[in-house]
Structures are given as C-alpha cells and as structure tokens.
Amino acid sequence: DIRQQFIDFFETKSHEFIRSSAVVPHDDPTLLFTNAGMNQFKPYFIGLQEPPTKRVVNSQKCIRVSGKHNDLEEVGVDDYHHTFFEMLGNWSFGDFYKKEAISWAWELLTEVWKLDKKRLWVTIYHEDDESGELWKEHSDIDPQRILKFGAKDNFWEMGETGPCGPCTEIHYYTGENIDDQSAEGVNLLAEYREIWNLVFIQYNRNKNGELNPLPKKHVDTGAGFERLVAILNGKSSNYETDLFIPILDEIVKITGKEILFEGGVPHRVIADHLRMLSFSIADGAMPGNEGRGYVLRRVLRRAARFGRKLEMKEPFLYKLVSILCQVMGEAFPEILDKKSHIEKVIEAEEKSFNDTLDRGLEMFDRVLNKIPKNGTIPGEDAFKLYDTY
Ligand code: GLY
C-alpha cells in the first residue's frame, strides 16, 4: 500500500510510472549492480538521449554491495541497511527543479502520511543556500531543523563518474524521547534515520574527476522504501515490518532457532541476503569466480556461514525462496517467473560451499594439530584456508 501511495501521489503531480529496471545493469560498464533509481535514466541526464516524458516515478530494486555504495558490513548488525532494497523515487528531466521537489516531498510526508514534523530534520549542501531558503519558503519546517553538511553527506554521486549534484536529505528521529533530540545526532546516530534524498543533478563527473555542468538541470530523488514502511508502522527496525517478518518466521521454522538467537543477527543477515540473491539471479546474474558473479558467491557464502551459526549443515537457503515470492511476487512478478531457477542455483551453490567448508574445517583441524599449543599457524596454511577453503 505504501509503495502504491507514493506512486499515486506523484501521478497526481503529472509523473508517469515506469517499471523498475533490472538489478543487473546490462548496458553500463561503470556499475556491477543497479545502485540507485536514477541509473536507468543516466542517458537522459547527460543528454545522450531525449526522455520520452519529463516526469517519472517508480520503485527501483537496488543492490549496494560493491563500488561506491557498499553497505554489506552494516547488514543485520543494524536495523536499516540492506544489500538489496527498494528505492522509491521521482524524477524531473530538465523540467521542475528544487522548489517543487522540496515542497512535494514535504507534502507527502507531512500531509498525506502525517509524519510528526517534530521528528523531521533536513540537511542541505553547505554551499547550497538556495535549498535552505526554499525549505523555509515552501514548507513549515522549523528553520532550526535545517542543517548544513559537506560533500560526504550532501553531494550525491552514483559512482566514480557520471551525473551528480548537491542534495538535500530528510531524516526522521525514531527515538523514544521526542524532547531528547539534538542537531548533533543527525548523520551520526542510528535514531536519526535518513529517509529521503533529493538530488539536484547539475554536473557530470568525467574520468579525470572534473565536474562539467550539464546543459539542463534535473531532479533525482530516492526514498528508502523499507525505512518508510518501518516508520509509518511505528517501528524502529525494518525487520519488524511485513516485508521481513514472514521471512524471519520461516527461518525460525526451518532452523528451529528463535528469532533473537545471537541477537537476531543471523536471521536478519539471511533474510537480507536471500533478497539480494533472489533478485539478482532473477535478473540474470549467476554466482561465479569474478566480477558480479563473485559478489553473488560471497553474499551466498556469507548467508550460508550465518546458517552454520544456526547449526544448519545442509542447504536450506533455497527453501526460503517460496516465502520471498509470497512477500514480493505481486510487486515484482519476475521472481515468480524465475522461482524454480532461483531455487536450483542457490541450492547448487550452497551444496558446493558446504562441501568446501567441511573440507576447510577438516584442514583447519589438521593444521591446528600440527602446531604446538599457543603456536602460530604457518602463513602458507593460513593463505590456503583463506583462499581455497
Ligand atoms: N540517487 C539518490 C540516492 O540514491 O540517494
């Protein structure tokens, strides 16, 4: 419903709905995976192609495990980073600009979804005073809640090269004590959660790192769908929403380990990685030894390793594909069409990894038995264990 409400809202602002592109970009050598909603529109931003329409809205499948945007280590440890997530977005290709982007985002958040304005914070690029003024003129945010940050937080780029520009981000305080907020927490503490990024695309960064102004100015916004769902349901964790609960319950059923086993990290990592693997395999990626395939292999092995923490020695990740299809299949029918292919690929890869891991653990024991107590594992053995097993 929330996904549809976002799309409906921007349709009333004359945006056209466009389907998510694949998570595997087939025609952009600068990316291993689609990492933002704007990727499919890159040719329009840099003026290589004319857009068929000037305003679009969508929910884009994104993967952030490699390259400039990589959230892998946060996944499962915190409540709101994912290797795979949906990004709700709306775009202007040389049409409306900052004023409309800002006032519409505020309207949707505070008038349609009625988020508490006393929990919202806004950040702007430190050189972009214009955006600060527009927030004051076109929203009723308390001006003290508009904060300036540098390029790390408020200048958005999809990769080392490509379209980019200053951005203004909207953050939501998820903490218990509404009177306990402070500007210091924004971009620092987990309770201050970034929910929506409005990027004002006006440059193209070239291979030499130079910023070239674009002939037209564009808007590229991205709102974290899972985070919005959590906030609109009054939850501080994305995993406590309809998007994840059925998957976590299925993991409990299959493994027999309760949901908060080891602080809940293994269940969360497995649920997250299942989504990344299923959607990338559905879109044509395959585990392998290099590039994109190696990223898939590492993510699958990471999920399997957390499965070992739950004492799962046999392949089991593939059994979770069915429940994922129930949760996401309506919005993204490609996973229904490819269900049995996804299951087969995951099962085969899990099996081969389990065999490798068992051989590695045997070898590890042999290595340990060979050295004296408190001794040192020889570099050659350590390398072989890391590299091969
Ligand atoms: N393209 C905007 C974002 O990914 O935040």
Side-chain angles (χ1 to χ4, degrees), residues 120-332:
L120 289 166
W121 294 84
V122 158
T123 64
I124 56 172
Y125 184 51
H126 61 126
E127 289 173 8
D128 184 14
D129 287 323
E130 185 191 7
S131 285
E133 289 310 311
L134 289 168
W135 273 112
K136 287 180 206 160
E137 276 168 44
H138 297 281
S139 80
D140 55 358
I141 190 165
D142 172 354
Q144 296 197 349
R145 291 178 163 265
I146 305 171
L147 311 174
K148 284 186 171 176
F149 283 87
K152 180 177 150 290
D153 295 295
N154 282 90
F155 192 94
W156 195 85
E157 312 198 36
M158 64 172 271
E160 297 313 320
T161 61
C164 54
C167 59
T168 174
E169 292 186 332
I170 304 166
H171 298 243
Y172 183 86
Y173 175 72
T174 61
E176 304 267 301
N177 191 351
I178 194 161
D179 298 322
D180 206 24
Q181 298 175 66
S182 133
E184 313 290 311
V186 178
N187 280 329
L188 185 71
L189 302 177
E191 298 90 80
Y192 297 81
R193 204 149 297 174
E194 179 203 330
I195 52 173
W196 200 345
N197 186 12
L198 318 177
V199 186
F200 306 121
I201 301 265
Q202 57 188 69
Y203 304 107
N204 189 24
R205 196 183 286 282
N206 69 18
K207 280 201 290 275
N208 303 327
E210 294 148 356
L211 288 177
N212 297 319
L214 291 168
K216 286 186 184 156
K217 293 180 175 169
H218 315 276
V219 171
D220 155 34
T221 89
F225 174 58
E226 295 77 2
R227 294 181 188 187
L228 276 172
V229 172
I231 285 164
L232 291 169
N233 281 283
K235 307 285 182 195
S236 60
S237 168
N238 295 0
Y239 295 95
E240 287 171 30
T241 66
D242 296 347
L243 294 167
F244 284 96
I245 291 169
I247 304 173
L248 299 173
D249 285 347
E250 192 68 12
I251 298 172
V252 172
K253 213 159 99 193
I254 293 176
T255 64
K257 293 281 185 280
E258 42 118 9
I259 209 154
L260 286 179
F261 185 84
E262 295 213 354
V265 176
H267 290 68
R268 293 199 291 264
V269 169
I270 291 166
D272 171 275
H273 290 9
L274 168 78
R275 292 171 18 125
M276 184 278 181
L277 292 164
S278 301
F279 278 98
S280 37
I281 295 167
D283 281 345
M286 286 292 275
N289 274 338
E290 54 193 45
R292 186 179 294 135
Y294 190 55
V295 177
L296 254 73
R297 180 160 279 170
R298 281 187 48 209
V299 169
L300 189 138
R301 290 179 168 196
R302 198 160 180 270
R305 204 159 51 69
F306 277 95
R308 285 276 167 134
K309 284 186 189 278
L310 305 179
E311 291 171 36
M312 297 304 289
K313 298 232 165 71
E314 297 301 319
F316 75 104
L317 298 168
Y318 77 96
K319 293 184 188 159
L320 298 166
V321 176
S322 283
I323 189 74
L324 177 68
C325 287
Q326 283 177 39
V327 179
M328 308 276 291
E330 197 184 317
F332 299 102

